[in-house]
Amino acid sequence: DRRPNVVVVLIDDMGYGDLSCHGSPHWKTPHLDALHASSVRLTDFHVAPMCSPTRGQLLTGLDAMRNGGTIVASSRMMVRSDAPMLPAHLAAAGYATGQFGKWHLGENPPHRPQDRGFEETLWFPLQEISSLSDHWGADYFDPVFRGRDDQRTKFSGYCTDVLFDQAIGWMGRMQAAGRPFFCYLPLNVVHGPQWAPAELRDEVARRFPQLSAGQVGYLAMLANADANMGKLEAFLRKSGMRENTIVVFLSDNGGYALVGRYNAQMRDGKSRLAEGGHRVPCFLRWPQGGVGGDGRGRDVDGLTQVQDLTPTLLEWCGARALPGPPLDGISLAGALAGRGAIPDQIGRAHV
């Protein structure tokens, strides 16, 4: 009878083959493997082959060519303002909405996260911490993030740890206030630069001396993100919210650092049009809703796309879409709960 909470974790530049549950011979990802084991996995799930278009499609339910966010720079990374985003839909239905991490869909009004439906936000401009328009001297360590009023706050610690800690703290406050929430956690890792905690870099380098410095940093960032997924899972269990929280994990495009070493039998990676550029992991779990859970992980075949997540989440949350362009995505709610197959995707786009 209670509306589910929603947590969407979007990792940056991680390839399908970079997870040990997908056969990676490199670093183990035990916490993501555990999420995979307890989730419904979309085995033929596709995004755009680069960052901003995927983010725009995820949050609007519209194809990038219709929402306007088609590339990663200049005005073409911004989404048309008459296309409501998922947080706006959910806020209108009574949800608390928070965003913690990489935005990359515009940094000035009316394109900031707080302009698009997020009441709580912690973000940085453009594609990576240390970009041209970021805080001077910005670093992955002790990062400076912008808040809702564009005030800049310096935090102590590694960027991914900070983002998870801040998101978890906010979720705890929303639970105490009795508010269902949508938490969007778009990470800036494993996007370059490959800055990672020294102890993880040293451990990866010791175990894999044949890897380049960039590949070592990449795996160290992934190891840290995996550990933070374990921290999120522990929080959901301890708080009693795990059963009625929808957890979605996906990547924004194909990988790049390890494509030449292992790529799950796919060709190419990030920014390329072959399958390795746009086929990515997508795990969904909502135990109380009959979608995954301990001992209930399963694969779901059929062509699916990132813009399908908005209508799916709206249906699960009992929220109506606000007025705007008709969605290109279609709800997968029935198929994910085991009621039928993935709907036919052919010819569904609004041209």
Side-chain angles (χ1 to χ4, degrees), residues 97-100 113 117-122 148 166 170 173:
T97 55
Q99 183 265 352
F100 303 86
F118 286 107
E119 65 180 61
E120 181 80 13
T121 185
L122 208 62
R148 177 172 177 79
Q166 292 297 311
W170 176 80
R173 293 192 296 274

Side-chain angles (χ1 to χ4, degrees), residues 60 66-68 78-85 109-111 115-116 323-325:
T60 63
R66 292 189 61 240
N67 70 40
M78 294 178 283
V79 170
R80 52 193 280 194
S81 56
D82 68 335
M85 288 190 173
H111 298 291
D115 303 320
R116 303 310 301 262

Side-chain angles (χ1 to χ4, degrees), residues 42 300-304 308 330 332 335-336 339-345:
L42 297 175
V300 170
D301 301 325
L303 179 64
T304 52
D308 296 332
I330 57 177
L332 310 174
L336 293 173
R339 301 189 302 272
I342 293 293
D344 182 13
Q345 305 265 346

Side-chain angles (χ1 to χ4, degrees), residues 28 41 43 52 133 149 214 219-220 239 272 281 287 322-323 328:
K28 297 295 184 183
R41 289 92 56 168
T43 63
S52 296
S133 56
D149 298 322
L219 285 175
S239 66
R272 305 300 294 273
L322 295 171
D328 294 319

Side-chain angles (χ1 to χ4, degrees), residues 208-220:
F208 299 98
Q210 72 276 21
L211 297 181
S212 69
Q215 292 168 334
V216 167
Y218 183 93
L219 285 175

Side-chain angles (χ1 to χ4, degrees), residues 2 12 103 106 175 183 199 282 328:
R2 293 181 296 110
D12 197 348
W103 178 240
Q175 181 190 30
C183 180
E199 62 275 13
C282 185
D328 294 319

Side-chain angles (χ1 to χ4, degrees), residues 13-18 47-51 218 251-280:
D13 283 1
M14 188 198 78
Y16 188 93
D18 293 345
V47 297
M50 63 176 68
C51 177
Y218 183 93
S251 183
D252 66 344
N253 47 245
Y256 66 95
L258 299 170
V259 165
R261 302 187 63 87
Y262 180 77
N263 201 29
Q265 291 75 54
M266 294 188 290
R267 181 163 59 90
D268 290 343
K270 176 181 179 179
S271 78
R272 305 300 294 273
L273 297 182
E275 189 175 37
H278 49 82
R279 180 179 166 220
V280 300

